Amino acid sequence: MTTGARRIGILGGTFDPIHRGHLDVADAAIHALTLSRLFVITSNVPPHRPQPLASSYHRFAMVALAVVDRPQWRAADLELRHDAPSFTSRTLDLFHERGYLSSELFFVIGADAFAEIGSWRDYPRILDAAHFAVVSRPGFSVKELPRRLPRLADRMAPPPLDPVPPIDPLIILIDAPTADVSSTAIRAHLARGEDIAGLVPPNVQQHIEHHGLYTSMSPGRRRSDAPRIPAAGRLHGQD
Ligand code: ATP
Ligand code: MG
């Protein structure tokens, strides 16, 4: 297999749940960089960090539903197959082990998340493992990054005009609009019983509603699944 023409995007996240903003950020990178494939990788959350509300099974299922009508996109379970917490450096190592070059990989990330890169495992070495395709998030433009991360400003560049990616990994700044939505806001809407139409793909919304995710019930149960014990059937003293 030739490796020269591949441009592979990788979008990692908790996806609790996946939403319109995630799709927009990936679309922006695909468009700006003419990516041929996009892997959407659902993260394992380390035990010492706040846990997602939905199980990794449901989070992955929602990602799989979101990509189903996008031929270039794949839902990847490689981080969930390991009990260990997800570290992007390890994920990128796995891509290298599978024959991908750093210059072929584009790690797609929002500006808010990239601003924290200094705290990531294997920083700064991780910046050599792939290009980082950083996309503005509402309220956090990529234009702020050279000032926020002055030591990395030299490596930052707009999307290359030439379709052949540069050999040395870059931090590519993509200032494109994305939906002003977050998983946190969606969970809050659902906890209050509010409609989330338009914030997530319709089949993801259906999955959330079908399984009663993000309501006050435990994950995987709908309100209507709650046991209803008829008053006459109650055991004496049960109240
Ligand atoms: P939470 O509110 O639970 O943190 P989130 O909406 O931020 O969820 P994540 O799973 O944390 O979603 O984000 C995964 C990646 O997608 C990160 O790189 C994040 O910056 C990016 N991202 C998420 N939403 C947007 C958005 N609306 N615009 C641009 N980037 C986004
Ligand atoms: Mg986030």
Side-chain angles (χ1 to χ4, degrees):
M1 190 198 293
T2 72
T3 55
R6 295 189 298 190
R7 295 183 134 206
I8 308 296
I10 300 169
L11 175 68
T14 317
F15 303 124
D16 190 28
I18 192 163
H19 55 66
R20 188 77 250 160
H22 296 127
L23 304 182
D24 288 347
V25 76
D27 276 334
I30 290 170
H31 179 74
L33 297 164
T34 55
L35 304 178
S36 49
R37 170 79 71 232
L38 180 91
F39 291 100
V40 186
I41 301 186
T42 308
S43 307
N44 251 336
V45 176
H48 59 274
R49 299 249 310 271
Q51 290 297 299
L53 276 191
S55 70
S56 50
Y57 302 102
H58 276 301
R59 292 185 290 115
F60 180 82
M62 292 185 279
V63 170
L65 287 168
V67 308
V68 81
D69 54 0
R70 293 167 179 254
Q72 293 168 289
W73 298 40
R74 299 286 180 270
D77 61 0
L78 81 172
E79 292 190 355
L80 299 177
R81 283 169 170 274
H82 279 255
D83 282 342
S86 301
F87 289 108
T88 298
S89 62
R90 187 181 153 276
T91 301
L92 294 175
D93 285 346
L94 288 177
F95 275 86
H96 296 153
E97 282 167 24
R98 291 175 191 186
Y100 293 98
L101 305 174
S102 300
S103 57
E104 296 173 319
L105 299 174
F106 295 78
F107 191 80
V108 179
I109 181 169
D112 62 314
F114 188 77
E116 307 299 323
I117 190 84
S119 65
W120 286 25
R121 174 168 287 204
D122 294 325
Y123 174 86
R125 184 181 70 80
I126 192 171
L127 293 169
D128 297 325
H131 299 284
F132 277 71
V134 191
V135 182
S136 292
R137 186 167 186 163
F140 201 136
S141 166
V142 289
K143 291 179 189 158
E144 293 177 34
L145 287 173
R147 187 179 49 79
R148 290 246 198 170
L149 303 170
R151 281 206 234 153
L152 300 180
D154 283 356
R155 295 178 75 139
M156 296 180 187
L161 297 175
D162 185 342
V164 178
I167 300 297
D168 289 331
L170 290 174
I171 299 164
I172 300 162
L173 304 184
I174 302 170
D175 191 21
T178 62
D180 190 2
V181 56
S182 68
S183 300
T184 303
I186 290 170
R187 294 192 299 269
H189 283 308
L190 288 162
R192 293 192 295 261
E194 294 165 4
D195 188 20
I196 57 160
L199 302 182
V200 300
N203 55 0
V204 171
Q205 183 178 0
Q206 215 177 0
H207 181 95
I208 290 170
E209 289 169 0
H210 188 83
H211 295 282
L213 305 183
Y214 308 113
T215 63
S216 52
M217 297 293 297
S218 58
R221 293 175 71 200
R222 292 193 281 186
R223 282 182 207 285
S224 57
D225 294 339
R228 282 198 203 91
I229 303 168
R234 286 193 181 132
L235 295 175
H236 186 66
Q238 196 182 15
D239 288 345

